Amino acid sequence: MTDKEYGDGTRAVRAGLPDPVKYEPTLPGPVFAAHFHLPGEPTGPYTYGRDENPTWTHLERAIGELEAPGEQGVETLVFASGMAAISAVLLSQLKAGDAVVLPTDGYQALPLLHEQLRAYGIEVRTAPTGGDGQLAVLDGARLLWIETPSNPGLDVCDIRRLVREAHAAGALVAVDNTLATPLGQRPLALGADFSVASDTKGMTGHGDILLGHVSCRGPERAAEVRRWRKVVGAIPGPMEAWLAHRSLATLHLRIDRQCSTALTLARALAERADVTGLRYPGLPGDPSHTVAARQMRRFGSVVSFELADRKRADRFLEELRLVDDATSFGGVRSTAERRGRWGGDAVAEGFIRFSVGAEDPEDLIADVLRALDEAGAAG
């Protein structure tokens, strides 16, 4: 699909499908193969299972059509997990003596990468997402890593501004787009060199597979990331790739319901005296709303807020009937957790990250308000 004018729903249900062939399925089943028939010279798209697979090809084309519809020169590669995708960009683009700028408030596993990068002789600088804080430590860096909205605090930075300043300083820019998905924002259209995501979350949306992807601007960058994937073998299984492609067909339906309900939930929580620190970029009063409204097409499925303390938060989670106490986000079933239990996020003990699912909004919100009342009554 090359027409940029197609709507998100049309694109999602048809992205990456092969040309129709009589008697063949519209979405071919997963190809399980470690090797392929390869007489003569080893040329062609499929030689060995660690390099390429037809099931990946369909999925990569589909994600590419969502990330950069109608754009030429964008290549997408899929990985075994979101962390594999993140690592591939960082470790394919950086070498000893380089400097990288990362967010202080990003994904919890990023500090593990800090240690590894420093061990390789790479300087790691950090600054907060909000207020475009990373600009203050950009000078001389090789790569700027943006996560917007940030996880779990939901701060937003101005992608266009950071890209402009980074490119002027000679730095590449990668954007972790996990929370927004390509239906929420398109980092490559905002100038970024890489759009990266954990597709374990909203892209596949069912909480049953681990997957990640990197969309690269230009064949040179894509070749570097592809080489890294081959060297470390961070490849997805064909079944996971096929399930992910199948799941993309409902992406727009899931995202629209989740984002709409997330905004309704945020509005309801804003009326509660026992809820503080409420964050959702779609709320007009949110500190990030002005910037988010300029660059985001949808505001995501995650709402964050604080309750009085750990005891109140735990009681709230116990009282929920339609929400699972589980990590991760973006799934069709709502989940919530007290992020402080992991110890890696700079959040209060009563901080809740709430991922809105596809339940009926009135049922979900009634459940949340009831659980808040019960938690408060318990003292």
Side-chain angles (χ1 to χ4, degrees):
M1 296 179 66
T2 57
D3 193 331
K4 286 187 71 171
E5 302 307 316
Y6 285 128
D8 287 339
T10 302
R11 192 171 299 282
V13 299
R14 305 203 65 84
L17 297 180
D19 292 335
V21 176
K22 191 174 184 179
Y23 306 127
E24 292 294 319
T26 54
L27 176 62
V31 175
F32 298 97
H35 57 263
F36 302 83
H37 289 296
L38 195 64
E41 293 300 313
T43 60
Y46 307 111
T47 57
Y48 187 64
R50 190 180 68 253
D51 299 336
E52 297 290 347
N53 178 288
T55 310
W56 305 351
T57 300
H58 294 313
L59 176 60
E60 289 170 343
R61 288 175 180 167
I63 295 174
E65 290 170 13
L66 297 174
E67 285 275 14
E71 277 197 52
Q72 301 299 313
V74 172
E75 296 185 40
T76 297
L77 295 97
V78 290
F79 289 82
S81 68
M83 279 305 296
I86 291 169
S87 300
V89 173
L90 291 170
L91 296 174
S92 71
Q93 300 304 308
L94 298 168
K95 63 182 185 304
D98 286 341
V100 60
V101 177
L102 297 165
T104 55
D105 52 343
Y107 178 48
Q108 185 193 44
L110 282 180
L112 300 176
L113 277 172
H114 295 185
E115 299 173 17
Q116 193 62 57
L117 292 168
R118 291 187 177 112
Y120 289 154
I122 296 163
E123 178 188 354
V124 176
R125 305 172 187 169
T126 60
T129 298
D132 299 341
Q134 291 171 287
L135 288 177
V137 293
L138 183 60
D139 187 45
R142 163 67 177 167
L143 176 67
L144 169 62
W145 186 275
I146 297 169
E147 184 178 309
T148 180
S150 62
N151 171 30
L154 303 183
D155 269 324
V156 172
C157 60
D158 187 334
I159 297 176
R160 289 185 184 90
R161 182 188 180 201
L162 268 67
V163 165
R164 183 173 63 250
E165 297 294 332
H167 285 172
L172 297 168
V173 180
V175 178
D176 185 331
N177 201 38
T178 301
L179 199 145
T181 81
L183 268 60
Q185 71 187 2
R186 293 190 173 121
L188 298 181
L190 299 171
D193 301 287
F194 303 95
S195 180
V196 188
S198 169
D199 301 319
T200 307
K201 315 295 196 300
M203 284 286 277
T204 56
H206 291 78
D208 52 10
I209 59 174
L210 296 176
L211 199 79
H213 82 266
V214 180
S215 290
C216 313
R217 184 181 300 285
E220 179 182 354
R221 301 294 171 225
E224 293 163 347
V225 174
R226 180 176 286 105
R227 180 178 181 276
W228 181 260
R229 182 177 70 177
K230 178 176 180 176
V231 168
V232 300
I235 58 173
M239 190 67 193
E240 285 79 4
W242 184 85
L243 285 169
H245 197 168
R246 181 206 61 171
S247 298
L248 289 182
T250 61
L251 177 62
H252 65 298
L253 299 172
R254 293 186 279 107
I255 293 296
D256 280 348
R257 166 61 75 89
Q258 290 167 283
C259 291
S260 173
T261 304
L263 179 58
T264 304
L265 174 62
R267 286 171 173 159
L269 292 173
E271 301 297 320
R272 301 280 307 201
D274 52 351
V275 170
T276 60
L278 176 66
R279 296 300 304 272
Y280 183 67
L283 275 177
D286 187 90
S288 293
H289 180 72
T290 300
V291 175
R294 288 200 302 263
Q295 66 191 23
M296 298 186 73
R297 301 162 60 235
R298 296 170 175 85
F299 296 106
S301 63
V302 177
V303 177
S304 68
F305 56 94
E306 293 179 22
L307 298 179
D309 51 31
R310 175 176 179 169
K311 181 180 178 182
R312 180 74 62 89
D314 286 340
R315 178 67 175 168
F316 165 69
L317 295 170
E318 290 170 2
E319 289 294 336
L320 290 167
R321 296 170 183 166
L322 300 179
V323 182
D324 296 328
D325 189 342
T327 195
S328 199
F329 57 85
V332 291
R333 288 172 289 279
S334 291
T335 61
E337 67 171 338
R338 190 180 63 79
R339 285 299 293 176
R341 64 181 178 172
W342 296 101
D345 296 311
V347 296
E349 284 294 303
F351 181 95
I352 301 291
R353 185 182 69 183
F354 196 107
S355 174
V356 175
E359 297 90 356
D360 287 313
E362 55 272 19
D363 294 337
L364 181 64
I365 292 165
D367 188 44
V368 170
L369 298 181
R370 180 198 52 76
L372 286 170
D373 290 339
E374 294 290 341

